[in-house]
Amino acid sequence: MSTVLALAVVSRVHGHGASEVHALRGISFTAYAGELVAVMGPSGSGKSTLLTLAGGLDTPTSGTVSIEGRDLGGLGHADRARLRRSSIGYVFQDFNLIPALTAAENVALPRELDGERPRAAKKLARAVLEEVGIGDLADRFPDEMSGGQQQRVAIARAVVGERRLILADEPTGALDTETGEEILKLLRARCDAGAAGVLVTHEARHAAWADRVVFLRDGIVVDQTSSAPVDALLEPGLTR
Ligand code: ADP
Ligand code: MG
């Protein structure tokens, strides 16, 4: 199994002096190609901090974050931004689409920022929208789509161009149960196709789609399942 994401003894302290918050305290974490890892834990336990560090959107106070063997801390700003756009896809709870762009334009944007020709980027965007089941909505604007449809666009944007790492922070939080399950199925399919996925979720039934669950509390890993027994966490009937 090839390692896509590796955090080695990572800490993140926000603020200074009396207002210091230790969001992560020496966490080590790995995600392999083909694997979906669920991260669970109470509010404030450091889940979002873990994801922003993994995505190169924030830098650790100490420790290292590597993507496919490249230490993000060793890269300059421009190289880090390039690696982020080419290798890492991010899915947020509130979709984060650009309202002035159509679905296809939202998905094409990261490719265009990477220098791909607009026509080629749009063509690829349409193909990925087709893949996530909303090819017919490519020319709609976000406010002309339901929440579930918008989240499909966000997933298409996160996976376009063979990205190797998909980070999803409570991506189903704003969706009804059935739509949430469909979004999880899409994430699962991308991991089965070879990406590494990290999913922050509150819901055990969503974690059931993962190969492994990591539990955080107060910025440390307090427990984790090995690959098989995720289903054992759940009541009968909730397994996939
Ligand atoms: P979770 O996603 O598990 O709810 P977070 O990673 O968002 O947890 O937050 C972990 C801790 O770090 C919390 O105590 C939170 O208040 C604090 N924190 C997160 N981001 C910041 C920030 N930018 N500045 C100060 N404190 C922060
Ligand atoms: Mg959070």
Side-chain angles (χ1 to χ4, degrees), residues 80-88 109-110 113-114 160 163:
R80 181 138 41 102
R82 200 170 302 122
L83 178 75
R84 211 161 58 209
R85 281 201 303 268
S86 63
S87 303
I88 307 170
L109 185 63
L113 289 174
D114 260 354
V160 69
R163 291 217 191 76

Side-chain angles (χ1 to χ4, degrees), residues 2 4 33 67-68 86-89 161-166 193-197:
S2 69
V4 176
I67 307 290
E68 299 199 296
S86 63
S87 303
I88 307 170
E162 306 298 312
R163 291 217 191 76
R164 305 280 297 141
L165 178 63
I166 305 167

Side-chain angles (χ1 to χ4, degrees), residues 12 14-15 19 21-24 41-50 169-170 200 202 216:
R12 178 66 169 104
H14 294 292
S19 62
V21 178
H22 292 255
L24 292 179
S43 178
S45 57
K47 305 180 299 295
S48 294
T49 301
L50 174 69
D169 198 349
E170 304 190 37
V200 171
H202 282 304
L216 293 188

Side-chain angles (χ1 to χ4, degrees), residues 16-204:
H16 298 282
S19 62
E20 249 182 34
V21 178
H22 292 255
L24 292 179
R25 308 166 188 259
I27 283 212
S28 294
F29 178 91
T30 308
Y32 300 100
E35 179 185 50
L36 179 61
V37 186
V39 177
M40 303 187 81
S43 178
S45 57
K47 305 180 299 295
S48 294
T49 301
L50 174 69
L51 243 60
T52 55
L53 291 171
L57 300 171
D58 185 20
T59 47
T61 307
S62 62
T64 59
V65 178
S66 326
I67 307 290
E68 299 199 296
R70 298 176 76 188
D71 177 0
L72 293 183
L75 299 176
H77 184 77
D79 284 339
R80 181 138 41 102
R82 200 170 302 122
L83 178 75
R84 211 161 58 209
R85 281 201 303 268
S86 63
S87 303
I88 307 170
Y90 224 105
V91 185
F92 302 90
Q93 176 166 353
D94 53 0
F95 325 132
N96 268 23
L97 300 176
I98 298 174
L101 300 181
T102 64
E105 288 166 347
N106 265 284
V107 176
L109 185 63
R111 305 285 299 169
E112 290 186 41
L113 289 174
D114 260 354
E116 187 167 29
R117 297 222 176 126
R119 267 187 72 142
K122 296 269 175 15
K123 195 171 165 204
L124 180 62
R126 284 172 189 281
V128 181
L129 286 168
E130 197 71 53
E131 217 177 302
V132 300
I134 50 165
D136 53 331
L137 305 181
D139 297 317
R140 293 229 188 138
F141 290 93
D143 67 3
E144 299 169 332
M145 291 183 277
S146 70
Q149 291 167 340
Q150 290 184 53
Q151 195 59 306
R152 281 172 189 260
V153 177
I155 292 209
R157 181 183 56 184
V159 303
V160 69
E162 306 298 312
R163 291 217 191 76
R164 305 280 297 141
L165 178 63
I166 305 167
L167 304 169
D169 198 349
E170 304 190 37
T172 61
L175 305 174
D176 62 65
T177 311
E178 199 175 317
T179 314
E181 289 284 306
E182 285 166 18
I183 294 300
L184 262 296
K185 264 182 220 175
L186 287 175
L187 277 181
R188 179 71 255 177
R190 297 311 297 206
C191 295
D192 290 342
V198 184
L199 163 73
V200 171
T201 182
H202 282 304
E203 300 199 49

